[in-house]
């Protein structure tokens, strides 16, 4: 255990640019070590995410670990809501030069009181890269692996666009919209979104949302509040007029060259007709025409969902290093880390308002398990 570690809260709304830059330094170093060759998260995008979490993640809370006033580690907590209000998504990053010194464990100990105060029962982390120091740390701390997640990316400049020449199956037509579902399709679209619940989640405690028209409209409004452009391609069953399949892709103005492939699902009674590949292929063809600035599209899929992984392969995605989702009951994690928490070697200032938000900070960032 480092005897000079100080743990503080990081307040994005009060932080100076120097603090964000230091946070970003930790993120970049962790990515270079654990995800070599991937595009680095830009500083401005990091600042935007810290000030306002990506839609669907709930409220976020942040901490930093400092040595000699330098930020060497960060921790980030997403307090999920609705069906998942008992779960805290906890992400920890430790600079590669400072790993294996107990810093990640000390950060985790420091945030446990907040999780208890928020009545969280389960801690989950989904950003552990398989085979890295993060996986070793998560195992050592006592988290269990509950799910493997396949990460895939498509680079539009080098993609084989002939793979997008996919005909629309007979009996269906495609519809496209941006931002707001049309009134004549909103009810069946909300029902179709519920098909995502068939996507496997392994042993994760996370529960898919129960989609209603109201929740769809609320989600659309949340995306608009962040100026995210949401694109939808849906397949409509001609005989019934109902949405049979959909795919969703978002682009944020802070990162206009990056597309976020979000949910794709096919309603059960319409599966086996090639609709998943069809809507994804037509989304890509539309995207490169309407938004040629988008150069990199990322997506994640549960490793058990071989069908969707195959669909992604067919339209040109390539596979990146696998992620591991980990989980632990809060009480069990607290007991496992009890000895660390009682150690006098770690000084904590997390109860003092304003600490961690001034100019003196030189680093900051988060995700459960990029070293300890």
């Amino acid at each position: 255990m480092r005897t000079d570690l100080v743990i503080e809260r990081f307040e994005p709304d009060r932080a100076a640019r120097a603090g964000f830059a230091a946070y970003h330094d930790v993120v970049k170093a962790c990515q270079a070590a654990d995800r070599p060759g991937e595009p680095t998260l830009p500083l401005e995008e990091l600042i935007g995410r810290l000030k306002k979490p990506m839609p669907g993640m709930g409220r976020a809370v942040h901490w930093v670990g400092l040595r000699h006033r330098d930020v060497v580690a960060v921790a980030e907590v997403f307090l999920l809501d609705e069906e998942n209000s008992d779960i805290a998504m906890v992400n920890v990053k430790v600079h590669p030069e400072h790993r294996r010194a107990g810093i990640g464990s000390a950060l985790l100990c420091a945030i446990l009181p907040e999780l208890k105060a928020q009545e969280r029962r389960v801690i989950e982390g989904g950003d552990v890269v398989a085979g890295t120091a993060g996986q070793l740390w998560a195992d050592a701390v006592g988290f269990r692996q509950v799910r493997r997640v396949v990460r895939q990316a498509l680079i539009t400049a080098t993609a084989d666009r002939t793979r997008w020449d996919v005909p629309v199956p007979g009996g269906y037509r495609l519809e496209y919209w941006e931002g707001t579902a049309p009134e004549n399709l909103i009810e069946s679209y909300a029902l179709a979104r519920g098909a995502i619940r068939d996507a496997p989640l392994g042993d994760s405690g996370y529960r898919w949302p129960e989609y209603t028209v109201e929740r769809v409209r609320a989600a659309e409004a949340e995306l608009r509040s962040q100026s995210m452009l949401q694109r939808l391609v849906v397949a409509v069953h001609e005989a019934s007029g109902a949405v049979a399949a959909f795919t969703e892709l978002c682009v944020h103005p802070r990162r206009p060259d990056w597309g976020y492939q979000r949910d794709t699902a096919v309603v059960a009674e319409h599966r086996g007709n090639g609709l998943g590949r069809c809507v994804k292929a037509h989304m890509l063809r539309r995207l490169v025409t309407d938004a040629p600035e988008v150069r990199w599209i990322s997506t994640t899929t549960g490793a058990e969902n071989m069908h969707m992984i195959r669909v992604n392969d067919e339209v040109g995605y390539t596979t990146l290093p696998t992620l591991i989702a980990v989980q632990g009951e809060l009480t069990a994690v607290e007991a496992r880390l009890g000895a660390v928490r009682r150690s006098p070697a770690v000084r904590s200032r997390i109860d003092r308002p304003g600490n961690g938000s001034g100019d003196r900070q030189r680093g900051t960032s988060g995700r459960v398990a990029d070293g300890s």
Side-chain angles (χ1 to χ4, degrees), residues 41-56:
L41 186 71
L43 174 59
E44 296 304 323
E45 172 70 355
L46 175 71
I47 293 173
R49 289 189 187 187
L50 291 176
K51 288 187 173 182
K52 194 167 188 178
M54 296 290 273

Side-chain angles (χ1 to χ4, degrees), residues 42-98:
L43 174 59
E44 296 304 323
E45 172 70 355
L46 175 71
I47 293 173
R49 289 189 187 187
L50 291 176
K51 288 187 173 182
K52 194 167 188 178
M54 296 290 273
M57 297 302 295
R59 186 168 67 88
V61 193
H62 310 273
W63 285 261
V64 294
L66 303 98
R67 294 189 60 235
H68 309 298
R69 299 165 66 98
D70 290 330
V71 175
V72 298
V74 297
E76 176 179 56
V77 174
F78 294 105
L79 299 167
L80 305 184
D81 50 24
E82 302 290 349
E83 294 89 350
N84 299 295
S85 58
D86 61 338
I87 297 175
M89 295 295 293
V90 179
N91 301 316
V92 173
K93 288 189 183 299
V94 178
H95 194 290
E97 294 179 1
H98 296 271

